[in-house]
Amino acid sequence: MASIMTSNYQPAVSAVSTGTLSQPDWLTSELSTGTTIAAVEFDGGVIIGADSRTTSGAYIANRVTDKLTKVTDYIYCCRSGSAADTQAVADIVNYHLNFYKMEMGEEPLVKTAASVFRTLCYNNRDSLSAGILVAGWDKRNGGQVYTIPLGGMWTRMPVAIGGSGSTYLYGYADANYKPGMTKDECLKFIANAISLAINRDGSSGGVIRLACITKDGVERHVLTGDQLPKFYEDS
Amino acid sequence: MSSRYDRAITVFSPDGHLFQVEYAQEAVKKGSTAVGVRGKDIVVLGVEKKAVAKLQEDRTVRKIALLDDHVALAFAGLTADARILINRARIECQSHKLTVEDPVTIEYITRYIAQLKQKYTQSNGRRPFGLSALIIGYDDGPHLYQTDPSGTYHEWKANAIGRSAKTVREFLEKHYTDEVAGDDKECIKLTLKALLEVVQTGGKNVELAIMKNGQPLKMIDSDEIDKYLAEIEKEKEEEAEKKKAKK
């Protein structure tokens, strides 16, 4: 997984300092969802979660971003990387999947959605900076999570993490994920994960957005302020 | 005289006809009937289901097509031509949503289909689409539009296309009232009654779909259709009884 995490990020400090009148980085940096996203499968559906910080350099452009984006009624994607790139890609995937639904007369499979994402991300890999998790429920294979990191590779995983904050979560995920967890255990797992990453990653913060997707549709939750899971902080 | 002017579609006849377009309209008149009725809170589409051969699978013949969550189309005429138009319309519905972040209005998509049809009446070496379409849907309110092979479109309160369309339209003109329009069930029954003018009785021979505000297109299954048909029969008998009693 780590092998594809090549840094495509713009450096936060971009001005050449010729004296005192250099521009602040947030005027010149690209808008990024330097982020923490996570998704996990359970029997009957998926739980997805994300933080809510969008940064332009060091300036937090949006502290209540919604990075969990709907592509169909039963399939969502978690966006990390460039905000513009991921929004554009998600909109186009939404277009394709809506058309698919009209043509086929039934909901598209999660695999189909992930495949459309992958096609866009791979064919435009040189121009895009997008790391996406596709998660949802379909009637053929139940809950599924697919990860599509930077180059456009796609693979199905029972638990997936992404974004700049995810580097701090590999240990947590490996130690705490067990196959066969219930829906509530998964909710706790994701909420804890995002919270831990927010504590360590400067590009992640704000509220924790959660969504649960099952055959009955989507249930969304927000954890704000005091509701964020707490861990040891020595002060 | 007409035979010299119906080859290349781009040519007018001396008396101002585009014969290919008129021939396309003849093709429409051979297609199975479709009826549309617009009520106050509902739009109803009914189509005649042609009898299938013994070995043919019944459910694969779908004459009511969904263009988007809030627009549906029924047609009369060449099925293969319709498939092409429906495909193009579906793409346009999504393309519109992607660029302007808003679902199409019924007028917009009807205009798109009509413009497409018109293009084929003015192109070299191509023939017009041999179908008329009834387009129903909801934007700010319920709408029913009709297009024909010439590329014109109009909005209607109730209309019919295909075989015996004239008879059915006359029936609709006689029986469509604001009272009927105000009641969902009455609209459904009017559509059925209109279809029954030209189709053999029985839920097996008609396909019915309704659309209400904010709800997806609902196909009425044949059991429910039979229930409506039974009601219609009862009303007819009661009418006949009343007439007898008057005498």
Side-chain angles (χ1 to χ4, degrees), chain B residues 139-163:
Chain B
D139 38 53
D140 56 342
H143 292 282
L144 165 70
Y145 283 88
Q146 185 225 355
T147 66
D148 71 15
S150 65
T152 56
Y153 69 96
H154 300 278
E155 182 161 16
W156 291 75
K157 294 187 195 154
N159 198 3
I161 51 176
R163 226 158 36 92

Side-chain angles (χ1 to χ4, degrees), chain B residues 170-187:
Chain B
E170 281 165 7
F171 179 88
L172 287 170
E173 280 176 17
K174 247 205 300 192
H175 291 89
Y176 182 90
T177 64
D178 284 335
E179 247 191 274
V180 170
D183 182 307
D184 290 355
K185 285 191 124 187
E186 289 299 317
C187 287

Side-chain angles (χ1 to χ4, degrees), chain A residues 91 95 98-99 101-103, chain B residues 69 87 90-91 94-95:
Chain A
D91 282 347
Y95 162 103
N98 277 344
F99 182 78
K101 184 173 146 189
M102 289 303 141
E103 277 277 288
Chain B
D69 295 319
N87 201 274
R90 281 176 175 158
I91 293 177
Q94 297 311 321
S95 176

